[in-house]
């Protein structure tokens, strides 16, 4: 019985993966030979507190922040077809700080539509009460170095023609690693 359930789960997972279109983001793994940030623009109100580097050993880009005063994000635009469903996801490693992956919808004249998707992740490892008073079990990041995938789905209405996908540090001192950012149509 357990084997049958496992096989069913694996087949369902394969069907979900097969039911997605190609990644609509350019240089989604930050491994472009000429420039790891090619197609990605960094935006922040406090650029001076951020350091962005590519780490070949992790095959990822890091965003380090020496203060929780500002947020900073790598982002790019994708053109979409209204009425279709999309998934946005990224592989992340968060030893310390807060991460936000989000997508902002824009209309045909470039106006924001107020439609977006977002997902946060955080680690209490930078909190002075951790781990003595805030147990490891209460911290999603737990200060460990395990990669995980964060994601959300979007179903844009007819006003939306593109999304700006952003990922980065959300008002958190610390460091985060990102690789394989995806924005795909769900077929």
């Amino acid at each position: 019985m357990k084997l049958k359930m496992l096989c069913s789960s694996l087949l369902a997972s394969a069907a979900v993966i097969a039911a997605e279109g190609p990644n609509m983001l350019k240089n989604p793994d930050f491994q472009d030979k000429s420039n790891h940030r090619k197609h990605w623009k960094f935006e922040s109100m406090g650029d001076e507190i951020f350091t962005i580097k590519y780490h070949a050993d992790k095959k990822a880009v890091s965003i380090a922040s020496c203060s929780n005063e500002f947020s900073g994000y790598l982002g790019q635009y994708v053109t979409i077809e209204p009425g279709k469903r999309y998934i946005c996801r990224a592989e992340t490693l968060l030893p310390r700080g807060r991460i936000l992956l989000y997508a902002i919808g824009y209309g045909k004249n470039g106006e924001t539509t107020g439609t977006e998707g977002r997902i946060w992740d955080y680690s209490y490892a930078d909190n002075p009460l951790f781990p003595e008073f805030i147990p490891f079990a209460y911290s999603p990041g737990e200060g460990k170095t395990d990669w995980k995938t964060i994601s959300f789905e979007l179903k844009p209405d007819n006003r939306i023609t593109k999304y700006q996908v952003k990922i980065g540090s959300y008002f958190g001192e610390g460091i985060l690693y990102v690789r394989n950012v995806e924005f795909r149509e769900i077929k």
Side-chain angles (χ1 to χ4, degrees), residues 28-183:
D29 58 5
F30 305 98
Q31 293 188 43
D32 187 284
K33 300 284 186 222
S34 62
N35 176 7
H36 66 275
R37 284 172 49 183
K38 186 175 184 179
H39 301 291
W40 293 94
K41 181 180 178 185
F42 185 75
E43 295 178 344
S44 171
M45 292 183 72
D47 289 356
E48 66 278 0
I49 68 169
F50 294 98
T51 304
I52 303 164
K53 293 181 182 175
Y54 181 75
H55 301 266
D57 59 327
K58 290 179 172 52
K59 296 183 181 173
V61 69
S62 69
I63 301 174
S65 174
C66 64
S67 169
N68 62 3
E69 199 171 352
F70 299 107
S71 292
Y73 304 98
L74 289 167
Q76 66 176 274
Y77 290 92
V78 292
T79 302
I80 58 101
E81 290 185 47
K84 297 198 175 196
R85 287 184 15 209
Y86 296 89
I87 187 163
C88 185
R89 69 177 153 237
E91 288 181 50
T92 62
L93 176 65
L94 185 60
R96 219 176 99 223
R98 287 180 228 145
I99 193 169
L100 173 60
L101 169 64
Y102 71 110
I104 305 166
Y106 289 85
K108 63 182 173 183
N109 297 319
E111 72 280 7
T112 59
T113 61
T115 306
E116 62 181 48
R118 60 179 55 218
I119 186 165
W120 290 271
D121 195 13
Y122 54 92
S123 172
Y124 283 124
D126 58 342
N127 189 305
L129 300 177
F130 180 81
E132 299 301 321
F133 297 102
I134 299 175
F136 281 104
Y138 293 167
S139 174
E142 296 182 11
K144 293 183 180 177
T145 54
D146 296 332
W147 286 94
K148 69 178 178 179
T149 300
I150 58 174
S151 67
F152 58 86
E153 289 186 23
L154 296 159
K155 185 163 184 190
D157 60 38
N158 290 331
R159 300 173 298 153
I160 300 172
T161 59
K162 66 181 174 182
Y163 277 100
Q164 183 181 28
V165 176
K166 291 185 166 191
I167 188 159
S169 176
Y170 179 73
F171 294 102
E173 183 179 344
I175 187 166
L176 58 95
Y177 299 88
V178 178
R179 65 185 183 199
N180 301 326
V181 184
E182 299 177 28
F183 192 93

